[in-house]
Amino acid sequence: MSEIYVCRHGQTDMNLRGILQGRTDTKLNDEGRRQADAAGDFMRKNGILIDEVLTSPLSRAVESAEIMTGIPRENFTFEHALIERGFGAWEGKSISELPEKEQLIYETTTEAMELPGAETIDELMERVKRYLTKLKSFSLLRDRNILLSTHGAVMHAFKCYLYDIPKEMFWSFSIRNCELMKMDIEKRTLLTVFPGFKGRTG
């Protein structure tokens, strides 16, 4: 059976500036590339070999996985289910530009769900649940190590689903840039193996 690893992409300029990226297709900045290289170096030194990459179609996730694994993107499987949460009308704006109550987007799910046109936390959780059910069957059929390259909000949803963390605590923990976790869907665990680098979700 496969071993499944999950990583968040490296830093982008929008991360650095505290802007809501969502599904805006941003690229890594130089620091983000350095972070991905450091994560890849950790993987190589610790014998974490990846055979197959399943990735969000957004460039920052694709490039991160390419740097970390050395596998060319032409061999990746692109999974829309791994794409970042959409932030609707506020995408591309800094948190300080949001109406006052919505500046709590990374602190409470109630206000976060009120962003016009955004994917709600409930919708994100349902998307993740469906995907992990599919992935469980997929991985059982393969003896290949898999890397899922994705985004902060998706990894929050993975962890909440696997550990039955209530929606009200969705943002109660942090997911860092290039943080690498090992996932066991059967045992419902998601354990950090490389801590990544401090940065905002998105």
Side-chain angles (χ1 to χ4, degrees):
M1 188 177 78
S2 302
E3 289 189 337
I4 302 173
Y5 293 88
V6 187
C7 72
R8 183 187 170 200
H9 62 81
Q11 187 189 86
T12 68
D13 286 342
M14 289 178 79
N15 280 150
L16 190 61
R17 294 161 56 197
I19 294 174
L20 297 174
Q21 287 182 105
R23 294 177 183 176
T24 304
D25 194 15
T26 56
K27 299 181 183 298
L28 299 182
N29 59 22
D30 288 342
E31 174 62 15
R33 295 183 186 96
R34 186 192 71 78
Q35 292 171 349
D37 188 61
D41 188 54
F42 171 86
M43 292 168 71
R44 289 185 290 275
K45 287 179 177 177
N46 287 275
I48 299 174
L49 303 177
I50 300 299
D51 303 301
E52 194 162 0
V53 175
L54 311 179
T55 182
S56 157
L58 297 179
S59 297
R60 58 192 185 269
V62 175
E63 186 178 4
S64 295
E66 200 169 41
I67 293 170
M68 290 170 68
T69 65
I71 298 172
R73 64 185 65 192
E74 290 78 13
N75 295 329
F76 291 178
T77 299
F78 295 91
E79 298 275 17
H80 187 79
L82 294 174
I83 201 167
E84 178 60 296
R85 179 189 180 201
F87 289 111
W90 298 117
E91 200 159 299
K93 296 183 180 295
S94 68
I95 293 175
S96 62
E97 291 180 86
L98 303 184
E100 185 176 358
K101 68 175 182 178
E102 291 170 349
Q103 290 184 22
L104 300 174
I105 184 170
Y106 292 134
E107 297 176 37
T108 170
T109 56
T110 303
E111 282 77 11
M113 287 190 292
E114 294 180 6
L115 292 178
E119 182 180 28
T120 67
I121 298 296
D122 285 334
E123 289 167 343
L124 173 58
M125 289 297 299
E126 183 58 32
R127 168 160 63 99
V128 159
K129 179 181 177 180
R130 288 196 305 268
Y131 185 69
L132 290 185
T133 300
K134 169 187 168 184
L135 183 65
K136 182 178 178 180
S137 298
F138 175 89
S139 64
L140 286 171
L141 298 174
R142 285 162 166 74
D143 188 22
R144 295 164 63 82
N145 292 341
I146 297 168
L147 178 70
L148 310 181
S149 185
T150 186
H151 305 268
V154 175
M155 290 177 71
H156 276 261
F158 281 160
K159 193 166 185 176
C160 286
Y161 173 73
L162 291 169
Y163 290 101
D164 292 320
I165 296 171
K167 182 174 66 177
E168 292 74 20
M169 297 181 66
F170 189 89
W171 300 115
S172 63
F173 51 90
S174 64
I175 303 288
R176 297 181 166 207
N177 286 118
C178 282
E179 185 164 347
L180 180 70
M181 297 181 168
K182 186 175 182 180
M183 176 190 287
D184 189 319
I185 302 173
E186 190 72 42
K187 296 180 179 177
R188 298 181 70 97
T189 59
L190 186 63
L191 304 175
T192 297
V193 295
F194 180 74
F197 303 88
K198 188 175 181 180
R200 292 181 181 270
T201 296

